[in-house]
Amino acid sequence: MESTRFQRGMDKLLEIDGTGGEGVIHSLEDIAPDLGRYIVEFAFGDIYARTGLTLQEREIITLASLLTAGGCEPQLEVHINAALHVDVPPEKIMEVFLQCIPYTGFPRVLNAVFTAKRIFQEIP
């Protein structure tokens, strides 16, 4: 069961993040390998693998959640790339961020926008 759960999570992680997410997991191997396994098995093997929401919807929710939490710019960067990877257009990502202004305020939205700006500038 666990190896199937892990494999399902890795498959979903690669589908969503490409090699970016895999890099995050590998970066944990020498310091917190169990954390990497938990991320793969739970977040991607259990949650992202569920039916009911598209991958685009899941990434939009994730972006809004990370923005709202604040201080999550490294994770926001990973999920902005993931959103782009599952075909969420940059304009929609900006709309998600703008929607958060009344609920989280300008500082957190500005942090998210500037994080996205760096990523969008790298798009060919």
Side-chain angles (χ1 to χ4, degrees):
M1 165 77 176
E2 288 303 310
S3 64
T4 302
R5 184 178 180 220
F6 183 84
Q7 189 57 54
R8 181 176 63 238
M10 281 305 295
D11 292 345
K12 192 57 71 174
L13 176 67
L14 290 171
E15 179 183 356
I16 295 164
D17 288 333
T19 57
E22 190 176 34
V24 171
I25 301 306
H26 287 306
S27 72
L28 295 168
E29 286 175 352
D30 63 342
I31 185 120
D34 286 342
L35 177 57
R37 184 173 49 83
Y38 298 152
I39 291 168
V40 170
E41 290 176 348
F42 177 68
F44 291 91
D46 292 343
I47 303 301
Y48 269 90
R50 293 176 55 84
T51 59
L53 294 172
T54 66
L55 292 179
Q56 293 88 355
E57 291 167 332
R58 289 182 189 283
E59 281 305 319
I60 286 169
I61 291 165
T62 302
L63 292 175
S65 297
L66 290 169
L67 181 156
T68 300
C72 299
E73 285 74 21
Q75 293 78 22
L76 192 58
E77 184 173 332
V78 169
H79 284 281
I80 291 168
N81 278 306
L84 293 168
H85 192 257
V86 297
D87 298 324
V88 177
E91 299 80 18
K92 186 170 272 191
I93 292 170
M94 283 299 106
E95 283 300 320
V96 169
F97 293 166
L98 293 175
Q99 178 64 31
C100 293
I101 294 170
Y103 307 100
T104 62
F106 284 101
R108 288 185 177 166
V109 171
L110 283 166
N111 289 343
V113 167
F114 288 130
T115 299
K117 180 179 180 181
R118 283 193 311 276
I119 294 165
F120 295 165
Q121 289 173 338
E122 297 172 5
I123 296 173

